[in-house]
Amino acid sequence: MGEPRRVEHQLTDKGYVPVYTTAVVEQPWDSYTATDHAVWARLYRRQREILPGRACREFLQAQDAMGMSADAIPKFSELNPILRAATGWELIGVEGLLPELTFFEHLANRRFPVTWWIRKPEQLDYIAEPDLFHDLFGHVPLLMNPVFADYMAAYGRGGVKAHAIGQDALTNLTRLYWYTVEFGLIRTDEGLRIYGSGIVSSSGESVHCLESDAPNRIGFDLERVMRTRYRIDTYQKTYFVIDSFEQLFEATRPDFTPIYQRLAALPSIPAGDVLDGDRIYHRGSGAGWLADGDV
Ligand code: HBI
Ligand code: FE
């Protein structure tokens, strides 16, 4: 496949990466090489070895229910009927990062953009932009969960509105995405579990987020999360813990406009801070934190 045309750079959980065209592309499944399938298999097996007992049951069960396996890169055409039947969502192939408004509009219409290409073997442990493994392994399974699927669609609608309001609203909303969809933890009877896609697609952070003494683990609060800066180049300094996907969906019910107005008058919160009033599951030691670089 030719190198896609690059449009601009966008800040993501891996730094500034090129934003590709908004084009929707068919998954070129027949063009995947044996190396592409081997990279999928290696990453899939490694994550499925460490995620039982760490990822929430809903994630693991959904991934199995979709028929994902290490055997080969899944076909969007085979996943879509299953996903549509479960929650009305479907996957669309894209070149990579989309301009924010385009991304939000897809989510609002229950279309999840999945990058069609997978990283190279030499990028196994680090890639600067979301590839097929991050999107398909990390983001797609939980779209089978009706409540989380509704949250993602509500998030998309919120993003379209925030885009019309301005950058401050977008910044608040991006932090919400960050600390839930990408790096969220959930409380269960067996303890804290992972549901964030940025974590479940990362072998190191899947262990670090639950077992390291360094990070804070704090109960989810919408405005606290919207004010909290985050990391794009290291593990998160703070992980926010929801009680349930219902709690997360309920948080998106109110119109955010008055919240954005209130937050505009308040300072942002550094990524590693713990505040009075926080529901503290774990106060981090801060070991290994970099002093600067919060976004
Ligand atoms: N585009 N394809 C794709 N995938 C993303 O996860 C994505 C994006 N564009 C913007 C974006 N995420 C973030 O800025 C969100 O916070 C909007
Ligand atoms: Fe992502």
Side-chain angles (χ1 to χ4, degrees):
M1 306 294 279
E3 185 67 15
R5 185 169 56 83
R6 296 188 166 183
V7 179
E8 69 198 61
H9 280 72
Q10 171 118 24
L11 193 52
T12 72
D13 57 345
K14 301 284 193 300
Y16 278 96
V17 292
V19 176
Y20 289 85
T21 65
T22 59
V24 176
V25 299
E26 281 302 307
Q27 183 190 24
W29 197 85
D30 295 331
S31 309
Y32 291 139
T33 64
T35 302
D36 291 332
H37 288 295
V39 166
W40 167 270
R42 179 102 181 270
L43 290 169
Y44 190 96
R45 284 197 189 95
R46 182 169 70 176
Q47 288 311 102
R48 285 301 299 243
E49 269 158 31
I50 57 179
L51 288 176
R54 292 190 174 96
C56 63
R57 289 181 196 286
E58 292 86 345
F59 174 84
L60 295 167
Q61 288 164 356
Q63 200 164 66
D64 293 338
M66 298 189 91
M68 286 193 190
S69 77
D71 296 348
I73 293 172
K75 293 183 180 176
F76 298 2
S77 60
E78 291 178 0
L79 297 179
N80 275 335
I82 300 167
L83 190 53
R84 277 194 206 99
T87 58
W89 276 82
E90 65 171 328
L91 311 184
I92 53 170
V94 293
E95 297 291 353
L97 279 180
L98 300 170
E100 282 181 325
L101 184 56
T102 310
F103 180 66
F104 292 138
E105 286 167 344
H106 283 311
L107 297 190
N109 290 285
R110 295 187 181 247
R111 294 187 300 263
F112 194 83
V114 177
T115 299
W116 66 263
W117 50 266
I118 194 165
R119 67 191 74 180
K120 298 295 173 230
E122 57 273 16
Q123 299 170 303
L124 214 64
D125 293 319
Y126 182 77
I127 184 163
E129 51 196 303
D131 72 330
L132 179 135
F133 186 77
H134 171 88
D135 285 337
L136 196 54
F137 181 96
H139 280 286
V140 166
L142 272 184
L143 294 174
M144 293 282 280
N145 176 284
V147 179
F148 189 79
D150 287 349
Y151 170 71
M152 286 294 280
Y155 181 89
R157 292 194 297 275
V160 171
K161 285 196 293 191
H163 193 270
I165 296 173
Q167 186 51 52
D168 286 351
L170 278 176
T171 299
N172 291 333
L173 205 71
T174 295
R175 290 169 179 163
L176 177 60
Y177 191 84
W178 207 269
Y179 282 118
T180 59
V181 177
E182 294 292 0
F183 294 97
L185 301 181
I186 185 168
R187 185 164 59 87
T188 76
D189 297 341
E190 296 90 29
L192 303 189
R193 292 292 182 268
I194 304 163
Y195 71 92
S197 309
I199 306 178
V200 290
S201 54
S202 156
S203 58
E205 198 151 7
S206 295
V207 176
H208 176 85
C209 73
L210 293 177
E211 294 160 38
S212 167
D213 194 43
N216 304 312
R217 297 177 189 96
I218 294 171
F220 174 87
D221 171 90
L222 180 73
E223 298 188 20
R224 169 69 161 92
V225 166
M226 283 185 161
R227 292 178 58 199
T228 305
R229 299 167 64 199
Y230 51 86
R231 306 295 304 184
I232 57 170
D233 52 357
T234 64
Y235 294 153
Q236 297 308 308
K237 291 181 174 178
T238 297
Y239 297 96
F240 287 95
V241 183
I242 61 174
D243 296 326
S244 65
F245 293 128
E246 286 76 10
Q247 179 202 20
L248 191 54
F249 178 65
E250 284 308 312
T252 58
R253 274 206 188 285
D255 172 21
F256 285 170
T257 307
I259 298 174
Y260 295 144
Q261 285 162 351
R262 195 159 52 244
L263 297 186
L266 298 172
S268 64
I269 299 166
D273 278 15
V274 177
L275 306 186
D276 296 340
D278 281 344
R279 185 153 44 119
I280 302 172
Y281 288 85
H282 174 76
R283 183 187 291 270
S285 66
W289 285 358
L290 300 178
D292 58 2
D294 285 6
V295 171

